[in-house]
Amino acid sequence: KACCAGQDIFDAKRVAETIGIPHYVLNYESRFREDVIDAFADSYVRGETPVPCVLCNQTVKFRDLLKTAKDLQGDALATGHYIQRVRTETGSELHRAVDPARDQSYFLFATTQEQADFLRFPLGGLPKDDVRAHADRFDLPVAAKPDSQDICFVPDGDYAAVVAKIRPGAIDPGDIVDLDGKVIGDHDGIINFTIGQRRGIGVGGAGEPLYVIRIEPEARRVVVGPASAMGETVVYLGDVNWLGGEAGHPREVTVKVRSTQDPVPASLELGQNGTAVVTLNAPERAVAPGQACVFYDGERLLGGGWIQRQAA
């Protein structure tokens, strides 16, 4: 049930045999642990909500695997991501997949222009049902294989257990406080909380639900409050990747501050040293440090950056 499980390697081997192409297995275990798993754990320790799939695409896949493809003198690297690559007179653009339920552009915001020119995404223009129909037509043994759901290295979705094993200090207890700093409860580790969380906080409000508003890792405090305290209109970003050519100051875009939402209108101001400020047209709830904020112009992916706790 994991993307890096032995069964998946076996399935890939059977597909390669069916269509008559070579199959190679590359060992990136140590790089994956350092660049994805350790970074995931460290992000939780900092009170953030990480997106390890972005880091995996950014490092192991589009840095290490792409380099290997070029070393093998490949003409291109084709992947199964649901995103479209569109050739223009000025170079390759990345666009959202035609199937909005499968679109993975949010997780590919860190793709560089050089990488986009070398990559191919043959599934981006197809609905998932058509992909399965083609696989069945070509007698591929994975035509009916279930979709992967969880993060590959987190069995059963228990993120806290994985982080606690890698970074034991992450489960140090601390206080749960209200917006005025009054202690109203305690917790068994900030890794059990994320911005916007309502269920499982362990404390109740006086007549209204409480949500996680802020996490203060240095003090090991979780700050909770009503839904009315969650709206954010200004989002600060770091490590921004830009694919949109001349940016302009500011530029009207649409953005996603989490993978599951539809893009919403905003104004983007690119700063120095990979920073940016996004001003949302309407407040967004649960804007969490460690998540990505991804920019679009219509269907075109313009890039994105990592949400910071405050201005750099």
Side-chain angles (χ1 to χ4, degrees):
K1 297 181 180 180
C3 75
C4 48
Q7 181 63 46
D8 289 337
I9 296 176
F10 178 68
D11 288 342
K13 177 179 173 62
R14 290 196 298 158
V15 169
E17 290 174 345
T18 301
I19 62 179
I21 64 172
H23 174 253
Y24 302 95
V25 178
L26 306 174
N27 187 347
Y28 292 137
E29 181 178 356
S30 60
R31 298 179 190 180
F32 185 81
R33 172 174 291 279
E34 179 180 345
D35 293 331
V36 182
I37 299 179
D38 287 348
F40 171 85
D42 290 339
S43 184
Y44 261 112
V45 171
R46 292 193 298 269
E48 300 172 347
T49 306
V51 192
C53 295
V54 174
L55 292 175
C56 183
N57 290 325
Q58 189 177 14
T59 58
V60 177
K61 290 179 182 174
F62 292 169
R63 182 195 64 197
D64 301 329
L65 184 59
L66 190 145
K67 180 180 183 301
T68 298
K70 289 185 174 181
D71 289 344
L72 294 172
Q73 299 183 341
D75 295 314
L77 173 63
T79 82
H81 291 98
Y82 281 84
I83 188 173
Q84 298 186 87
R85 174 183 176 272
V86 177
R87 286 291 297 163
T88 71
E89 292 182 355
T90 57
S92 302
E93 295 180 358
L94 298 181
H95 288 230
R96 300 178 72 196
V98 298
D99 186 344
R102 298 288 175 177
D103 175 57
Q104 293 177 296
S105 59
Y106 177 90
F107 302 102
L108 295 168
F109 82 82
T111 306
T112 66
Q113 186 63 58
E114 181 182 3
Q115 292 168 347
D117 290 335
F118 190 72
L119 291 163
R120 303 293 185 272
F121 304 104
L123 304 189
L126 297 170
K128 185 59 176 280
D129 289 344
D130 288 1
V131 174
R132 290 195 183 279
H134 283 306
D136 185 62
R137 181 165 64 91
F138 288 113
D139 296 322
L140 300 185
V142 294
K145 184 174 180 176
D147 293 338
S148 59
Q149 299 293 332
D150 294 325
I151 295 173
C152 63
F153 59 88
V154 182
D156 303 320
D158 192 350
Y159 308 127
V162 172
V163 176
K165 183 176 181 180
I166 300 172
R167 301 287 186 268
I171 56 174
D172 289 344
D175 293 328
I176 300 174
V177 304
D178 64 16
L179 294 175
D180 296 322
K182 178 184 176 182
V183 177
I184 58 175
D186 54 38
H187 64 77
D188 294 324
I190 61 172
I191 61 172
N192 295 297
F193 301 88
T194 187
I195 304 299
Q197 178 180 334
R198 175 185 174 186
R199 297 172 183 253
I201 296 177
V203 295
E208 60 180 333
L210 293 178
Y211 298 81
V212 175
I213 305 299
R214 188 170 65 253
I215 298 173
E216 300 175 349
E218 294 82 5
R220 299 197 299 275
R221 295 204 311 177
V222 176
V223 182
V224 300
S228 58
M230 284 200 297
E232 298 283 352
T233 55
V234 179
V235 184
Y236 298 99
L237 307 178
D239 294 324
V240 171
N241 181 57
W242 179 249
L243 292 167
E246 292 296 326
H249 301 286
R251 176 166 178 163
E252 298 304 310
V253 296
T254 59
V255 303
K256 296 175 71 168
V257 294
R258 52 188 171 275
S259 63
T260 54
Q261 76 167 151
D262 292 327
V264 296
S267 176
L268 169 66
E269 181 80 26
L270 294 176
Q272 300 295 319
N273 302 318
T275 63
V277 178
V278 170
T279 304
L280 300 162
N281 288 17
E284 280 289 323
R285 294 169 58 172
V287 177
Q291 292 276 292
C293 177
V294 179
F295 324 134
Y296 298 90
D297 180 1
E299 296 298 303
R300 182 185 177 188
L301 172 65
L302 297 176
W306 297 101
I307 298 173
Q308 307 294 302
R309 184 166 283 107
Q310 59 187 10

